[in-house]
Amino acid sequence: MAEIILSPIKEMEIRTAKVSNSVSLAQGVADFDTPECIKKGAIEHINQGDVAKYSLSPGIVELREAIEIDLNKREIYYDFENEIIVTAGAIEAISATLLTILSPGDEVVIPDPTYTSYQEAIKNAGGVPSFMALSEEDEWSFDEKKMEKKITTKTRAILFCNPNNPTGTIYRSDQLLRILEIAEKNNLYILVDEVYRDFIYDNQEFYSIGKFSKFRKRIIYIFSFSKSYSMTGWRVGFLATDKSLAQKILARHDVLVTCAPVVSQWGALAALEMAEEDKLYFKNTFKDRRDLICSHLDNLKEWFNYQKPSSSYFVFPNFSKKLIQALNREKEIKKYNFQDHQKDSLSWQLALDLLYEAKVAVVPGQAFGKTGENHVRMCFGRSDGDILKAMLRIESYLNKKYKQGLFIKSKVYF
Amino acid sequence: MKKIFRFIIERYLKLLTKIIIYRKKPLIVAIAGSSNKTFIKDRILEEMKNENGVRGNPRSFNTEIGLPLAVLFLPSGYSSIFKWADVLLAGSYISIFKKDFPKILVLEMGISKKGDMKYLLSIIKPFIAIISDIGQNFSDNKNVIDQEMANLVGSIPKEGRVILNADHSRVRDLQKKSKAPVILYGKTKKAQIKITKIKEKNNGQSFNLKLNNNKKQIETELFGVHNVYALTAAKIAVNEIRKIKK
């Protein structure tokens, strides 16, 4: 079994917890509490004695019905009785699916950069991640020729999130169709995590892959309540796929968790039934925060280039030539306690510089794949105050430290 | 304090609902069961979308407080005393003065414990009852749920209709409790309205249904046998509503 490393996002959060007075834009967590109506919905069921026992393994009937109804509104059609499984967040849905479809050594193509835990989930299921670089100059779009080259006799699936984390970009419907056609031609499954589907800005079009019902036997549609309803700690999500596969995944899901936390399932039901306004409020607030963080990035043009994200709550700036040169010069004297996979990574170097010297946590781009190197991910789900504080600290730190190509010697950290 | 507050709202909404129903006398279709209630309601509303004066309840509005809100077509005040004051004020106006009111109400009846159905039936008097299924949940207490469903079936007047899913034996058995004509639907031979030839495709499913001596193939983009049942129950209900209205 391949070695699994702790997600760099979690590693940054652990490091951040030890740095006093730090501000974190690292983990994808919003600063909002779960909406009141969701908490009350869950409390009501706690008081009624509905949460002490396991639910049916695929989830409580009421929630699966509500999920089917919600999907129907999005023109996505699955049978709640046989094709929808409530899971302990999106990552359990992904893990249960990969454990079901992969044999040792099977490859899974993942567009790069992408959410950092996908590669570990693939390894955890005995598979091998195969990275396919997205094209930054073309708004992080995917190139079908590159993807086809990545397909080998061992390839079993393609896994990606749409909208994409960390770039905040959206796959167009024609791109999705092309991916599906490639999957059809090569007999592959497509796992799509739509955790950020509810945060689309500037009237951009979002087309869900679930609408391509012609390919439903290949698609595993995945969603988590974590982001849309500020429920990251509740650990609840779901997957939907054709029953021929769903019943096999259900057996894995049962082995992994028996059922998703029942109290969270009732919370998720309340979310679907009552939290529409809260979701809209979150979206509008994130849009304002995106504009806030981007206005500060505009002041840092000397150090970063970025594409304004049209969804999610992440921005993924890349390093300017000047910043790369400065970091390379300092690399020779810097001594962080790097693990093998972090060595020679400028994104790790800057992320740790920012954490220990500016007291701001961001995620090094390398965490999201090779193409993510020389970038950092910043989360604008945090409060306005945190974003402002973090960006002013970054601005002040970079401007002071690397003025006119000069730099101050850093401390040595172990 | 909260309990007293809730009790007052519950009783006042009940009173307002009884007044409007007494004044306007809508035909009420009640849908009950462990699952599939919303699908049946939505399909009925779809079938009748071109007819004026038909209204259903929002999904979560099917309990002691939710059902009156659905009848009065009002939002919940959630936990705000001020919002509830607005809701009750608006409800008072609707109940006593409002002239326009739907002629047909399609309502889900949500129950979770003994006595729930009796309480809901003390607010509204359904003319048609549809029972989808019983018993998908671990938490269901068999005897209680069956008794609650029997209360609904038994409340339908003899001029009304009871529409039961014959493929579920616990639902089928409820026919014994009915004073009204019973229509059984399903795949089983025991059904009067038979569902045959269910075929799944990539873009949905199709099935055959014989209604009013007409055999029809019905197509839907929805998956799962529960959607076949929902469409069937809805078609039967709409057919019966039209017969009653003639």
Side-chain angles (χ1 to χ4, degrees):
Chain A
M1 183 72 82
E3 190 191 356
I4 309 287
I5 59 159
L6 178 69
S7 154
I9 300 172
K10 317 299 188 301
E11 184 185 334
M12 284 306 295
E13 285 297 340
I14 291 168
R15 284 178 183 265
T16 307
K18 293 174 187 162
V19 177
S20 64
N21 194 28
S22 57
V23 185
S24 176
L25 303 183
Q27 197 165 10
V29 182
D31 71 317
F32 299 116
D33 191 8
T34 303
E36 278 302 309
C37 58
I38 297 175
K39 291 197 275 188
K40 283 196 172 143
I43 290 166
E44 202 174 304
H45 286 281
I46 291 172
N47 291 335
Q48 284 174 13
D50 295 338
V51 307
K53 298 174 193 155
Y54 301 121
S55 69
L56 295 171
S57 199
I60 58 173
V61 173
E62 291 88 340
L63 176 57
R64 283 183 289 135
E65 263 195 292
I67 290 168
E68 182 183 327
I69 291 163
D70 184 69
L71 290 175
N72 288 352
K73 286 180 199 156
R74 298 165 193 273
E75 297 173 50
I76 300 169
Y77 303 107
Y78 286 101
D79 164 14
F80 84 88
E81 288 180 311
N82 298 299
E83 300 186 323
I84 292 172
I85 302 171
V86 181
T87 57
I91 197 67
E92 195 257 311
I94 291 166
S95 295
T97 305
L98 291 171
L99 285 162
T100 306
I101 62 174
L102 296 185
S103 300
D106 280 351
E107 291 171 8
V108 179
V109 175
I110 46 177
D112 154 24
T114 193
Y115 178 51
T116 174
S117 292
Y118 292 161
Q119 47 184 302
E120 304 309 321
I122 294 165
K123 289 184 211 162
N124 190 46
V128 178
S130 170
F131 295 97
M132 185 210 67
L134 294 170
S135 169
E136 184 169 16
E137 51 282 5
D138 195 13
E139 298 180 346
W140 294 109
S141 64
F142 104 103
D143 178 334
E144 62 184 78
K145 282 179 190 155
K146 270 193 210 166
M147 181 169 275
E148 277 182 319
K149 273 185 193 165
K150 284 284 166 188
I151 313 281
T152 70
T153 51
K154 288 191 165 183
T155 308
R156 191 84 175 114
I158 301 168
L159 162 62
F160 60 99
C161 54
N162 187 30
N164 190 27
N165 169 7
T167 60
T169 44
I170 302 168
Y171 290 88
R172 296 189 312 267
S173 60
D174 61 302
Q175 291 178 320
L176 294 173
L177 181 61
R178 197 59 205 112
I179 295 173
L180 285 163
E181 284 167 351
I182 292 170
E184 184 76 19
K185 188 175 148 193
N186 296 283
N187 192 24
L188 308 177
Y189 287 111
I190 303 274
L191 289 81
V192 184
D193 176 1
E194 286 195 0
V195 66
Y196 295 103
R197 70 177 188 195
D198 294 315
F199 303 143
I200 310 289
Y201 314 121
D202 311 323
N203 298 318
Q204 289 276 320
E205 192 198 357
F206 173 70
Y207 195 92
S208 172
I209 198 160
K211 285 185 176 184
F212 291 102
S213 62
K214 184 183 160 192
F215 299 95
R216 72 194 311 272
K217 289 193 172 153
R218 309 213 160 272
I219 298 168
I220 299 98
Y221 179 93
I222 293 157
F223 179 73
S224 163
F225 291 85
S226 293
K227 316 289 179 175
S228 296
Y229 301 100
S230 214
M231 295 175 74
T232 53
W234 296 65
R235 308 311 306 129
V236 59
F238 69 85
L239 68 84
T241 188
D242 186 84
K243 62 185 169 195
S244 56
L245 179 61
Q247 295 310 304
K248 292 178 192 160
I249 298 174
L250 182 62
R252 290 286 179 178
H253 163 74
D254 183 42
V255 168
L256 290 173
V257 294
T258 307
C259 63
V262 178
V263 65
S264 303
Q265 293 191 52
W266 288 111
L269 178 64
L272 287 176
E273 289 185 337
M274 291 185 281
E276 201 58 30
E277 280 182 25
D278 299 276
K279 193 169 73 176
L280 197 62
Y281 171 74
F282 294 160
K283 178 186 149 177
N284 291 335
T285 308
F286 292 146
K287 183 187 169 292
D288 292 344
R289 290 177 181 176
R290 177 202 63 171
D291 294 342
L292 175 69
I293 205 166
C294 288
S295 70
H296 283 272
L297 282 169
D298 288 338
N299 295 336
L300 293 168
K301 277 182 183 160
E302 203 177 348
W303 311 110
F304 296 114
N305 307 301
Y306 75 98
Q307 289 178 30
K308 200 172 190 175
S310 43
S311 60
S312 80
Y313 43 55
F314 303 113
V315 61
F316 198 54
N318 68 20
F319 303 169
S320 68
K321 277 184 185 166
K322 191 173 170 181
L323 181 58
I324 290 172
Q325 281 168 2
L327 287 166
N328 269 324
R329 278 197 300 271
E330 196 175 356
K331 205 166 109 186
E332 289 154 27
I333 60 159
K334 180 88 62 179
K335 293 259 187 272
Y336 282 117
N337 185 19
F338 279 137
Q339 295 171 42
D340 281 351
H341 67 279
Q342 298 163 331
K343 278 177 189 161
D344 300 323
S345 163
L346 295 185
S347 65
W348 267 105
Q349 190 180 324
L350 182 69
L352 294 183
D353 281 350
L354 289 178
L355 176 61
Y356 292 120
E357 295 179 28
K359 298 198 172 186
V360 177
V362 294
V363 183
Q366 194 219 39
F368 304 95
K370 235 183 199 175
T371 318
E373 181 49 28
N374 291 346
H375 295 72
V376 286
R377 189 191 76 173
M378 298 170 173
C379 171
F380 55 82
R382 307 301 172 100
S383 70
D384 287 10
D386 276 0
I387 292 170
L388 198 63
K389 208 188 280 180
M391 296 310 288
L392 288 175
R393 285 183 187 182
I394 292 173
E395 200 173 328
S396 153
Y397 167 77
L398 290 173
N399 288 338
K400 270 185 198 162
K401 185 160 185 177
Y402 297 118
K403 235 181 226 173
Q404 301 302 320
L406 298 171
F407 60 95
I408 304 158
K409 275 194 173 183
S410 298
K411 296 169 193 170
V412 178
Y413 295 90
F414 293 98
Chain B
M1 188 65 190
K2 268 187 182 172
K3 278 187 182 169
I4 297 170
F5 184 54
R6 189 186 161 97
F7 180 80
I8 293 168
I9 291 172
E10 208 174 286
R11 294 298 147 140
Y12 191 63
L13 283 173
K14 178 178 174 178
L15 175 68
L16 296 178
T17 309
K18 286 180 80 129
I19 293 171
I20 188 91
I21 285 176
Y22 177 76
R23 279 180 57 224
K24 295 295 178 181
K25 299 185 177 48
L27 186 150
I28 296 175
V29 181
I31 308 164
S34 303
S35 67
N36 219 13
K37 299 186 285 294
T38 307
F39 294 100
I40 295 174
K41 180 197 72 188
D42 287 350
R43 298 299 85 80
I44 293 175
L45 296 177
E46 262 172 36
E47 292 269 331
M48 302 192 83
K49 67 183 174 199
N50 295 325
E51 296 177 35
N52 289 329
V54 186
R55 195 165 72 197
N57 51 339
R59 190 186 143 77
S60 54
F61 284 16
N62 60 14
T63 52
E64 299 95 323
I65 288 180
L67 191 72
L69 289 175
V71 173
L72 295 162
F73 207 51
L74 288 168
S76 169
Y78 294 108
S79 52
S80 162
I81 196 161
F82 300 108
K83 278 187 187 168
W84 274 118
D86 281 350
V87 168
L88 296 181
L89 204 64
S92 304
Y93 170 79
I94 292 168
S95 173
I96 299 163
F97 300 110
K98 196 161 171 56
K99 287 184 181 167
D100 298 337
F101 193 76
K103 291 187 173 60
I104 299 166
L105 289 173
V106 185
L107 302 173
E108 293 177 47
M109 310 279 269
I111 57 150
S112 56
K113 58 184 186 301
K114 191 178 176 184
D116 280 356
M117 188 62 83
K118 202 175 165 190
Y119 184 80
L120 296 178
L121 291 172
S122 72
I123 307 173
I124 57 165
K125 302 288 176 212
F127 197 74
I128 297 176
I130 305 171
I131 315 282
S132 54
D133 67 345
I134 302 176
Q136 281 218 24
N137 296 342
F138 276 171
S139 55
D140 281 348
N141 179 326
K142 191 173 188 288
N143 295 331
V144 169
I145 300 294
D146 289 35
Q147 187 51 50
E148 294 296 299
M149 295 299 158
N151 287 343
L152 172 60
V153 169
S155 78
I156 303 300
K158 57 182 181 203
E159 305 80 20
R161 304 285 190 278
V162 170
I163 302 168
L164 301 175
N165 186 333
D167 289 348
H168 295 282
S169 60
R170 284 164 72 184
V171 176
R172 197 172 62 232
D173 287 348
L174 292 169
Q175 62 183 309
K176 296 168 200 156
K177 307 283 178 185
S178 178
K179 304 187 283 279
V182 173
I183 302 164
L184 296 172
Y185 67 91
K187 295 180 284 183
T188 168
K189 283 179 184 168
K190 291 169 184 162
Q192 296 149 270
I193 309 291
K194 281 193 188 64
I195 298 165
T196 53
K197 293 187 180 169
I198 300 175
K199 275 185 202 159
E200 270 205 10
K201 298 177 261 182
N202 274 340
N203 59 350
Q205 52 188 342
S206 65
F207 61 97
N208 287 353
L209 195 66
K210 198 175 172 185
L211 192 62
N212 297 335
N213 291 322
N214 288 328
K215 203 172 185 182
K216 266 191 178 177
Q217 191 187 47
I218 294 166
E219 305 258 347
T220 173
E221 72 269 31
L222 304 168
F223 288 87
V225 73
H226 67 283
N227 279 310
V228 172
Y229 288 141
L231 268 161
T232 303
K235 286 194 180 291
I236 296 167
V238 171
N239 191 44
E240 294 305 314
I241 290 168
R242 286 179 181 146
K243 279 186 199 166
I244 291 162
K245 287 277 170 192
K246 265 186 185 173

